[in-house]
Structure formats: structure tokens, C-alpha cells
Amino acid sequence: MIRLRLRSKLHGTRSFATIPKTPCPAWEGEPSRPVVKTAIPGPRSAQLSKDLDQLQDPRSCHFFADFDKSIGNYIMDADGNFLLDVFCQISSLPLGYNNPALAKAAKSDEWVSALINRPSLGINPPAHWPELLKDSFMAIAPKGMNQIMNLMCGSCSNEVAYKAAFMAHQQKLRGDRAWNQEELTSCMKNQAPGSPDLSILSFDGSFHGRMFGSLSTTRSKEIHKIDIPAFNWPSAPFPKIKYPLEEFLKENQAEEERCLHEVERLIQSWPSKVVGLITEPIQSEGGDNHASHDFFRKLQKICKKHEVFFIIDEVQTGCGPTGRLWAHEAWNLETPPDIVTFSKKTQAAGFFHNLNSRPNMPYRNFNTWLGDPIRVLQLRTIVQEIKDKNLLENVRITGNFLLDGLQQLQRKYPVLSNARGAGTMIAFDLPTSAVRDDLVNKLKQLGVQNGGCGPVSIRLRPMLVFRPDHAAIFLEAVEKAVKTL
């Protein structure tokens, strides 16, 4: 049995005594450290993988989980191992496993009714729906945005956001007139003018989903796109920032200007009209790629200049992991974005927007469910827990401690490099994909569930209740694993 023990000094990092205080309370009953009894995945997970293989593809599975026994920041696998989870269901869990506030809410009559009487929200929303929207989505709405489109996942949030931009653009061109017969007839043949030749611009290295429109704007990994037809939409270079930032100010500024120039060139020259531009505040699947706040402010100015919808994909950055409810809040934009999409840590999904991107008629941006009331009820509790437990402050405190520790480790072990991040949304690089994958596995064997991104990066996606003491355990595990590379 392997148990990670916090020593008085984490070699090259901070001492236990200097772990900062946080307003986030400790989780009662949570393990004090990982507990590893078997290899990971263990024999039980291996057998379950064989069983699953008879029914569906198990090849992406890390291990099978025992969610009933998982608690707080620790996930238990089917073999009884307790792993400190810094991957958290691909960045989608905000409050910890078996959160008491969510467990209590789930027993209410309100939750039971929503579960057994799932409505078609566009046709028969429940009587309390406007109030529920105010207490959930609108309680965390980005400043200056007053409309919410409720959907099911990150991919469909981006997909439907593109449709909203296209519809608004065409409506503005038409003015007050109705569709003419040529438009109505041609759209049924997938031809212009009813099906206009329009496009969305995205960035190299981006990930916006796996549906047809969202996949056409995804540019991070070939395996996502191969064999799938795609729209002929433009892609601009995203800045390749050098670290440490203070040593490469001029180079990074020049790189951002190069990318901005290419964005504007593509908008002006692309064969189909560029109606929208979508960007992640931090390119996550592409390798946790960052750009400066000034870059995004200038990006918005270019969009305004050319009447292009400025769409922010906050699917992975939204709801707190950067230390703010929305990562784009740090940019200090002159005006709100046109559309902000979200999913993952909100549990619910959709996008914020304003009336100018509401379709001119009902049933245009529409589907049977338009989201799920259970997930909105869940979000209402998440919002309250963020406030009650001061979780955004916890993320900032823990993130600073964690990033500082990683930067100290990389000074001691040159195999680690480019530690970067905002809040606890942090990543660092290894020399090659093979070395990165080896470290991911070694950390797992030490009881740390983690994951990679991009060609050579390891990304950290802990929950909002991940405290500095958890970060210290992670740093010790990294140092122990790095010594065996």
C-alpha cells in the first residue's frame, strides 16, 4: 500500500508550515492523502473493461469509479484506490464528490418532480421557470448580458450559438421584410440565397466541440476531425507565447500583433462572409495556450470594426476555475461579448447573449428539451455554494500556491517547463508526448488522477473546493514521479 505523506519540506517547493489559509472549509471525512492498493487501473477495472467491451467501446476509459464512496476531492476506483482528482471528469465537477448541499437538494420534492416529469421547456416550462432562471443562470450572468439559451452540452451550445449569429446577421441584412419565395425554396435544396455562404472564424489549436458546425471550428487534434465532412471556414493562428513572460515581453507582443493582423486579413479576404469569431480564453484541448488580456481586447475591436459576432467559448473556463466566474472578466472589455457559451462546471449548458441575437420567430433555435431542469436546479445550488464557501477566493489562493510550487519545481527539474495558468486552471510541459504520457501514468500510480492536453502538456482541472493542502500533496507527487522519469 502506497501512502503519500506530507513531509516538513516539499523538496524545492514550500514547507507544510507555509501552506496559505483559505476560506474554503476542509471536507469532513475526506482522506488525508491518496491511498493506492493496486496498479491503476486495477484488476476489477480490467475485468469491467472486458465486460463493457461486449457492449460499447471502452478504450478511452481511465478506470472504473465507485462514485458512492468517492468524497470531496478524492475519487475511489472499482479496486478501492483513493485518488486525488485534479482532472475531475474533464473539468466538469465544481463542488466535490457527494457534496452535502447537492445531496440535500436532490431529496427535495422540487428535484423529484423535475426528474420524473421532464418537460419540453420550449412548449410547457414549469410555472417556476422564470424564477429558477433568475436564481441560477442569471445569478452568474456576465455583465451586460440579459438573455439565456439553455441547452445540453458544450458542443451544442457552440453549435446553436453559431446559428444565432447567422440568423441575426441575415435578419439585419433583410431589415423588416419577410423571406421571399426564392429564399424559402432554395434553403430546402441547401442552396443560396436561402442557405447563404457564411462562416465562423476560429483559431489553430482550438476545441469547440464535435458536431458539424462546432467540429468545423475545432482545430486541436486530427483524431477529432478525420473522415468527417467540414465547412470551409477560416482558422487564424493563435499566439505562441514564450515563458517566462517577463523575459519575452517584446517577442510575445510581436507574436500577438502577427496573429491579430492575420485575423483581420482573413475576415476581409475569406470567400464566404465571416459572421462570427469564436475563441477560448485559454485553449484547453490544444495545450492550455494563453494570450494577453490586451490581445483579446484588440480582437473584440477587430470584430466590432467588421461587424463580426464576438463569441467567447467558456465551456472549460466558466464557473470559477480561473478565480473568476468568467475568465473573460479579466480582460476589461469596453463592451460585453456578443455571446458567451458554457457547460462543464455549471452542469447545465447553453449561452448568454442579448436581444439582438434572439431569432425573429419562434421554433428557429429550438429542440425538444432545451436543456434539463434538473441541471438548472443543480446550478442554483452550485451558485449558492460558491458564495457561501468563498470558493472563488479559494481558487485564487490555491492557484497562486500551486503555480508558485510548480515554477519552483521546474527550476529544480528542467524536464518540467512553462508552468502557466489562471486560478487553478494550470498546466505545465514536458519535453515530448512520450515523456508527458509517462508522467501522467506515474502520477496515477501514486494516486493522482490527472490528464494531458495538447502535444506535451499536463493540465490541472481540480474542483473549486481544491485547497492549498491538496495542492501540496499534488506537488509532492509530481516531484516523486519526476525523479523516476
Side-chain angles (χ1 to χ4, degrees):
M1 182 182 293
I2 298 171
R3 291 181 181 271
L4 285 178
R5 299 185 182 277
L6 286 172
R7 298 184 291 274
S8 61
K9 295 222 175 194
L10 298 174
H11 298 285
T13 62
R14 297 183 179 212
S15 70
F16 183 78
T18 59
I19 291 177
K21 293 181 179 180
T22 173
C24 176
W27 196 294
E28 186 177 351
E30 186 184 69
S32 60
R33 59 188 62 83
V35 179
V36 180
K37 302 176 180 179
T38 72
I40 300 172
R44 177 66 175 148
S45 275
Q47 182 56 54
L48 288 168
S49 184
K50 292 179 181 178
D51 296 343
L52 183 61
D53 194 31
Q54 304 304 309
L55 305 168
Q56 60 181 212
D57 188 352
R59 287 174 294 177
S60 62
C61 178
H62 292 196
F63 53 79
F64 285 77
D66 185 339
F67 288 110
D68 291 338
K69 295 180 181 177
S70 300
I71 181 170
N73 292 275
Y74 285 82
I75 184 171
M76 178 177 275
D77 73 1
D79 291 275
N81 300 301
F82 261 123
L83 292 88
L84 178 65
D85 193 349
V86 297
F87 197 51
C88 299
Q89 313 304 317
I90 319 178
S91 190
S92 67
L93 291 186
L95 299 182
Y97 293 105
N98 291 300
N99 177 272
L102 286 171
K104 180 180 178 180
K107 297 174 183 177
S108 68
D109 291 342
E110 188 178 23
W111 278 55
V112 171
S113 176
L115 182 64
I116 65 177
N117 302 299
R118 185 177 182 181
S120 174
L121 287 166
I123 301 294
N124 295 126
H128 66 282
W129 189 239
E131 180 184 2
L132 181 56
L133 291 180
K134 290 179 183 177
D135 292 341
S136 55
F137 292 119
M138 302 316 296
I140 58 170
K143 185 179 179 180
M145 309 193 84
N146 57 33
Q147 298 288 296
I148 179 68
M149 182 73 179
N150 188 27
L151 295 158
M152 293 298 296
C153 69
S155 291
C156 60
S157 298
N158 288 328
E159 189 91 1
V160 177
Y162 301 166
K163 290 174 61 181
F166 291 145
M167 292 175 191
H169 171 79
Q170 290 299 101
Q171 185 62 39
K172 184 176 181 180
L173 291 181
R174 276 193 302 272
D176 294 331
R177 75 167 177 86
W179 297 289
N180 60 38
Q181 192 56 50
E182 182 184 15
E183 289 168 332
L184 294 171
T185 300
S186 61
C187 79
M188 299 305 292
K189 300 176 182 178
N190 296 338
Q191 296 175 355
S195 295
D197 189 13
L198 306 174
S199 61
I200 302 289
L201 187 150
S202 61
F203 286 92
D204 299 344
S206 63
F207 183 88
H208 301 295
R210 300 172 187 261
M211 295 182 176
F212 273 100
S214 56
L215 187 60
S216 290
T217 53
T218 288
R219 314 279 182 165
S220 51
K221 294 178 183 176
E222 296 89 346
I223 195 66
H224 297 150
K225 298 172 68 74
I226 191 71
D227 295 334
I228 310 298
F231 296 114
N232 183 27
W233 291 353
S235 178
F238 193 81
K240 296 184 183 299
I241 298 300
K242 295 181 179 180
Y243 296 90
L245 295 176
E246 61 274 13
E247 295 182 13
F248 294 99
L249 289 174
K250 291 184 178 180
E251 292 90 338
N252 289 340
Q253 288 173 358
E255 170 66 359
E256 290 189 343
E257 288 301 321
R258 179 186 74 86
C259 295
L260 290 166
H261 181 269
E262 185 64 9
V263 166
E264 187 156 30
R265 187 192 70 79
L266 287 167
I267 290 173
Q268 293 175 306
S269 64
W270 198 255
S272 57
K273 164 65 179 174
V274 175
V275 167
L277 178 151
I278 187 165
T279 185
E280 301 160 88
I282 301 171
Q283 284 192 333
S284 301
E285 293 291 334
D288 267 37
N289 305 316
H290 291 250
S292 72
H293 299 166
D294 185 60
F295 172 81
F296 292 108
R297 287 192 292 266
K298 290 177 178 177
L299 201 58
Q300 186 188 44
K301 288 182 179 180
I302 291 172
C303 288
K304 284 182 174 295
K305 177 180 176 181
H306 297 284
E307 296 187 316
V308 172
F309 278 84
F310 188 43
I311 305 170
I312 310 300
D313 179 346
E314 293 249 27
V315 167
Q316 197 152 153
T317 53
C319 200
T322 67
R324 300 173 184 266
L325 280 172
W326 305 103
H328 77 267
E329 292 173 349
W331 303 344
N332 293 318
L333 298 173
E334 291 183 358
T335 59
D338 296 298
I339 295 173
V340 175
T341 65
F342 60 88
S343 185
K344 290 193 181 285
K345 277 187 168 61
T346 58
Q347 299 296 289
F351 61 86
F352 294 102
H353 63 119
N354 283 312
L355 282 171
N356 68 324
S357 50
R358 180 190 282 189
N360 63 328
M361 293 181 66
Y363 296 104
R364 299 197 67 197
N365 251 352
F366 190 83
N367 59 50
T368 299
W369 301 124
L370 287 175
D372 185 347
I374 281 290
R375 300 305 168 192
V376 185
L377 289 167
Q378 200 171 358
L379 175 58
R380 184 178 66 184
T381 301
I382 291 167
V383 170
Q384 194 61 48
E385 282 285 280
I386 289 173
K387 294 177 181 178
D388 291 347
K389 302 291 195 306
N390 295 302
L391 295 185
L392 294 181
E393 185 179 355
N394 175 63
V395 168
R396 292 190 289 269
I397 292 170
T398 304
N400 288 337
F401 174 73
L402 181 56
L403 184 58
D404 180 60
L406 284 169
Q407 288 171 340
Q408 291 185 48
L409 279 176
Q410 74 182 17
R411 286 193 289 270
K412 185 174 183 181
Y413 303 101
V415 71
L416 307 175
S417 65
N418 298 333
R420 59 200 181 274
T424 54
M425 195 167 175
I426 290 171
F428 57 94
D429 293 345
L430 283 302
T432 67
S433 296
V435 175
R436 185 272 311 276
D437 294 346
D438 188 23
L439 184 56
V440 166
N441 182 61
K442 289 182 184 298
L443 286 171
K444 202 168 296 180
Q445 304 313 313
L446 291 171
V448 177
Q449 165 66 339
N450 67 111
C453 66
V456 297
S457 301
I458 288 180
R459 57 175 159 173
L460 308 185
R461 297 294 184 269
M463 305 177 209
L464 306 182
V465 295
F466 186 79
R467 292 158 35 102
D469 50 317
H470 300 113
I473 294 170
F474 172 78
L475 291 169
E476 181 179 311
V478 170
E479 181 162 28
K480 187 172 184 177
V482 163
K483 289 179 177 179
T484 67
L485 288 176

